[in-house]
Amino acid sequence: QQQVKQSPQSLIVQKGGISIINCAYENTAFDYFPWYQQFPGKGPALLIAIRPDVSEKKEGRFTISFNKSAKQFSLHIMDSQPGDSATYFCAATAYNNNDMRFGAGTRLTVKP
Amino acid sequence: NAGVTQTPKFQVLKTGQSMTLQCAQDMNHEYMSWYRQDPGMGLRLIHYSVGAGITDQGEVPNGYNVSRSTTEDFPLRLLSAAPSQTSVYFCASSYSLAGGNTIYFGEGSWLTVV
């Protein structure tokens, strides 16, 4: 069963809008939560990551919000641009990289 | 800067054939791994290695073999291809096994088994 559930499966946003992708996890031992960005024909690349000792992390237009009690975390993309159109994966791991569990992915399309 | 290099990019196999997906990294990373990506499933770990001569199974290892004779190379072998192995395969590496170390992915190998 999928240990990290991601929604929505696809998302269409107008240029300048806010894109929000949500993830929920079950394993309370998870302590590292990265987001990966994947462009068509390319491999995933680390976008931003958070640990549960903080509730929010911001890097430029990208923000992770983390709710430990609800076991949920989300990616917010402010002022979304057509160049942000990609597939986004959330992930979580407890102890080491071979325990990393990925969400199913969200295909984001930003319309100009 | 090459990073993680995978070959071939595309491959079509017939059921029962064998093949090897090549992977090389030039970052002197200890940890290397292979994932498969399927629609609606995200990425799932096939096999991984924490150093030359050391390999172990991931979440979906059946039908695949790996070896690690050098730090740089980590080939993935399909022993007898099946249609269920049609997927996109990603090789990845990171500085160490420890969680929190950035995982760097190759550009992927698209495999179709007919």
Side-chain angles (χ1 to χ4, degrees), chain B residues 19-95:
Chain B
M19 77 157 298
T20 300
L21 299 177
Q22 301 292 343
C23 176
Q25 53 93 6
D26 62 0
M27 297 175 282
N28 201 30
H29 284 169
E30 282 186 353
Y31 179 78
M32 294 187 74
S33 53
W34 277 100
Y35 291 84
R36 60 178 289 172
Q37 182 178 13
D38 301 292
M41 302 289 290
L43 293 120
R44 292 180 293 167
L45 183 65
I46 304 171
H47 284 286
Y48 68 95
S49 168
V50 296
I54 306 169
T55 64
D56 207 344
Q57 296 180 351
E59 190 182 352
V60 289
N62 292 341
Y64 308 95
N65 269 0
V66 291
S67 60
R68 183 116 177 251
S69 56
T70 67
T71 301
E72 295 78 18
D73 300 303
F74 191 45
L76 177 73
R77 295 183 188 84
L78 280 72
L79 308 172
S80 177
S84 61
Q85 294 179 303
T86 293
S87 187
V88 184
Y89 291 85
F90 289 98
C91 181
S93 73
S94 68
Y95 177 71

Side-chain angles (χ1 to χ4, degrees), chain A residues 39-61:
Chain A
F39 292 106
K42 301 294 185 182
L46 180 65
L47 181 64
I48 186 172
I50 196 169
R51 289 197 182 272
D53 53 343
V54 295
S55 60
E56 186 175 282
K57 183 173 181 181
K58 184 176 181 179
E59 289 184 3
R61 296 184 293 109

Side-chain angles (χ1 to χ4, degrees), chain A residues 1-110:
Chain A
Q1 71 278 17
Q2 203 134 29
Q3 293 192 35
V4 179
K5 294 183 179 178
Q6 184 172 346
S7 63
Q9 196 171 21
S10 63
L11 180 62
I12 299 174
V13 172
Q14 289 297 126
K15 179 182 175 181
I18 302 173
S19 305
I20 302 174
I21 304 170
N22 299 301
C23 285
Y25 62 96
E26 299 164 1
N27 187 344
T28 54
F30 286 152
D31 70 349
Y32 177 67
F33 303 88
W35 285 89
Y36 285 84
Q37 180 186 55
Q38 183 181 28
F39 292 106
K42 301 294 185 182
L46 180 65
L47 181 64
I48 186 172
I50 196 169
R51 289 197 182 272
D53 53 343
V54 295
S55 60
E56 186 175 282
K57 183 173 181 181
K58 184 176 181 179
E59 289 184 3
R61 296 184 293 109
F62 300 91
T63 300
I64 300 178
S65 297
F66 186 83
N67 185 331
K68 190 173 181 178
S69 61
K71 292 185 287 183
Q72 294 175 347
F73 58 111
S74 60
L75 176 69
H76 291 64
I77 306 174
M78 312 299 288
D79 186 26
S80 298
Q81 299 296 313
D84 297 330
S85 297
T87 299
Y88 293 81
F89 293 95
C90 61
T93 184
Y95 305 109
N96 48 51
N97 280 341
N98 63 318
D99 289 334
M100 186 81 73
R101 292 293 182 260
F102 289 83
T106 296
R107 178 174 287 185
L108 171 66
T109 302
V110 181

